Amino acid sequence: MRATSALHRIAAVVATAVTLAATMVACGSNNDPAASGPDLGLIKSGTLRIGTLTDAPPNVYVKDGKFTGFDNDLITAVAAKLNLKPEFVGTDFSALLSQVNGGQFDLGSSSITVTEARKKTVAFSNGYDFGYLGLNTTKTSGITTFDQLEGKRVVVVQGTVQDDYATGKGLDPVRVPNYNAALGQLKAGTADAWVSPAEIGEKMAKEQGGGTVILAAKELSDAPMAFAVAKSNDKLRDAVNRGLDEVIADGTWTKLVEQYYPGRAVPATFKPGSGSATPAASTTAAAG
């Protein structure tokens, strides 16, 4: 009888262990980001590794040691919808797209304007923002319009849509690796103008505190901004698009627009995401 009782106790212990193991697996499935959804082809399971810039407020920048800005806060919200942890890494814009397609990053976040040329290197999510070309110059330059740039020394950040614009206009621009370098050229008097992303150029000019650099003019770009993913990763692109529609529908997109671009009118023709998600009502009137 003692032997039989011992066997019963052993069987009970084994049954309990099996039940506990099954419970732990189930709990792990609920808490493990990788287990909660389809394989998204990520560099590290459960983590969205994001290449971005550190010096381009209000879009993408570092504040108090944290990556932030409209684009990065937006992709953080999208990652939360996908149960992924965002991991930001700073890089230069000129290298960003090739790094995304080469597998160094899962995604690129840097107010990237969608162009046909860039589609040869990466795939893009649905558009989440619109932008303006900016004309930064100095108070004493006498330059007030883009039409006055011919024959001037114009600086651009290499590989940007502003670089494309200046090259397309035959301006033979001076190319620098980042926005701080572009601003520095204006302040030092080694450039007459900087073709900038208008929001970034305007903010950086204002942050000088009464300096000589100003935003003299801007014009609306006809292409949206989107997140970049590797051309081979359709699953991640589709997942980001779903998450983007969710943060548009729940009001996060509108909240971030008003936080980072107060007073900026949204063109009536611009529809973020797939167009099926209706943004929450904004206190900012739409542009006609």
Side-chain angles (χ1 to χ4, degrees), residues 132-135 144 146 198-199 202 215-220 264:
Y132 292 84
L133 291 171
L135 174 58
T144 59
F146 288 90
E199 290 87 358
E202 184 173 26
L215 182 75
K218 64 181 182 180
E219 61 181 55
L220 183 65
R264 185 188 73 165

Side-chain angles (χ1 to χ4, degrees), residues 4 23 68 85 90 130 150 157 167 211 242 250 256 264-265 286:
T4 301
T23 301
T68 187
K85 177 183 177 182
F130 60 95
E150 186 176 353
V157 174
T167 303
R242 290 195 303 272
D250 72 12
L256 291 175
R264 185 188 73 165

Side-chain angles (χ1 to χ4, degrees), residues 78-248:
V78 170
K81 296 292 186 182
L82 302 179
N83 204 18
L84 298 175
K85 177 183 177 182
E87 178 182 283
F88 293 97
V89 180
T91 188
D92 288 335
F93 188 85
S94 59
L96 178 57
L97 298 187
S98 61
Q99 289 171 334
V100 168
N101 205 50
Q104 290 177 253
F105 303 122
D106 297 310
L107 179 143
S109 167
S110 186
S111 293
I112 307 168
T113 301
V114 178
T115 68
E116 292 303 315
R118 289 173 179 172
K119 287 180 181 178
K120 296 177 181 179
T121 303
V122 294
F124 287 101
S125 70
N126 290 328
Y128 61 81
D129 199 12
F130 60 95
Y132 292 84
L133 291 171
L135 174 58
N136 281 79
T137 185
T138 62
K139 293 178 179 178
T140 59
S141 71
I143 298 173
T144 59
T145 68
F146 288 90
D147 293 337
Q148 294 174 285
L149 294 181
E150 186 176 353
K152 303 294 185 181
R153 185 173 173 85
V154 178
V155 64
V156 295
V157 174
Q158 182 176 359
T160 61
V161 70
Q162 293 81 36
D163 186 350
D164 294 342
Y165 172 87
T167 303
K169 294 291 185 180
L171 299 177
D172 190 23
V174 176
R175 296 176 176 86
V176 294
N178 56 58
Y179 297 112
N180 280 329
L183 182 66
Q185 292 243 355
L186 282 181
K187 293 171 70 175
T190 53
D192 300 307
W194 163 31
V195 180
S196 67
E199 290 87 358
I200 295 171
E202 184 173 26
K203 184 173 180 64
M204 294 181 78
K206 287 181 178 178
E207 287 179 345
Q208 293 183 95
T212 61
V213 177
I214 61 172
L215 182 75
K218 64 181 182 180
E219 61 181 55
L220 183 65
S221 172
D222 59 0
M225 298 173 186
F227 298 116
V229 299
K231 293 181 72 173
S232 60
N233 199 343
D234 290 340
K235 289 183 178 179
L236 178 58
R237 185 194 63 210
D238 291 344
V240 168
N241 284 339
R242 290 195 303 272
L244 183 58
D245 276 353
E246 289 183 35
V247 299
I248 292 168

